[in-house]
Amino acid sequence: MTAIKPFMNRLIDYAGLFPPAGLDMLTSTRNYASYRSGKYAWALGRLIVPVARLTEFSVALMEVGSNEQTTPWLLGALSTGNAQQDARLISGLDKMGAVVDVLESKAANLAEVHELLSAAPQRLLSTSNFH
C-alpha cells in the first residue's frame, strides 16, 4: 500500500457541489474539512468551487472553522468567464486560510487567453498549473 501513496498524493479533488452529489456549499465544505483530517487525507486534492460562489464558500468556511487547520485549503476554481471579476472574487481568500492555486477557464481564442493571464493573480502565474 505504501508504494501507491506517492502516485495518489493529492490526486483526488473533491467536487461535492457538482453531480452526482450536488451538495449545498455548507455540506460540501464540511465534508472537505472532514476529509482533510481523515485517514486518506494524503490522497485529497483541491476543493472544486466556481469562482462565482467564492463569497458563499467564504461564509461556509468561517462556519466550518478553517483556522483550526494547519495548512491552507487548496481550491480549484472554475472561472466566471470574466477575468477581472475572477481576480476580484479570488483576492483576499488567502486571509481566510484558503488558496486558489488552480483556475480553470475556457478561452475561445488566443486573445482571450492573454486577457485571462493579464488579470490572473500573480501567484497563479508563478506555477505551471495551466490547463
Side-chain angles (χ1 to χ4, degrees), residues 3-71:
I4 200 158
K5 278 191 176 183
F7 171 71
M8 296 288 294
N9 187 47
R10 293 190 176 177
L11 183 66
I12 302 168
D13 289 342
Y14 180 66
L17 295 171
F18 303 92
L23 302 172
D24 62 85
M25 183 65 74
L26 184 57
T27 303
S28 182
T29 305
R30 281 185 179 144
N31 286 354
Y32 187 75
S34 173
Y35 301 149
R36 279 176 48 99
S37 59
K39 180 179 178 181
Y40 300 104
W42 54 268
L44 184 64
R46 295 166 184 85
L47 175 62
I48 306 301
V49 180
V51 172
R53 295 185 67 185
L54 284 176
T55 302
E56 181 185 1
F57 166 74
S58 297
V59 172
L61 187 61
M62 288 189 328
E63 186 167 328
V64 168
S66 69
N67 59 348
E68 298 168 8
Q69 303 291 330
T70 58
T71 58

Side-chain angles (χ1 to χ4, degrees), residues 83-84 106-120 125:
Q84 282 72 30
K106 290 183 180 181
N109 54 49
L110 191 55
E112 286 184 19
V113 171
H114 287 293
E115 180 185 352
L116 290 165
L117 291 175
S118 68
L125 299 176

Side-chain angles (χ1 to χ4, degrees), residues 68-88:
E68 298 168 8
Q69 303 291 330
T70 58
T71 58
W73 287 38
L74 296 179
L75 304 180
L78 306 177
S79 176
T80 63
N82 179 315
Q84 282 72 30
Q85 180 179 350
D86 288 353
R88 183 179 52 77

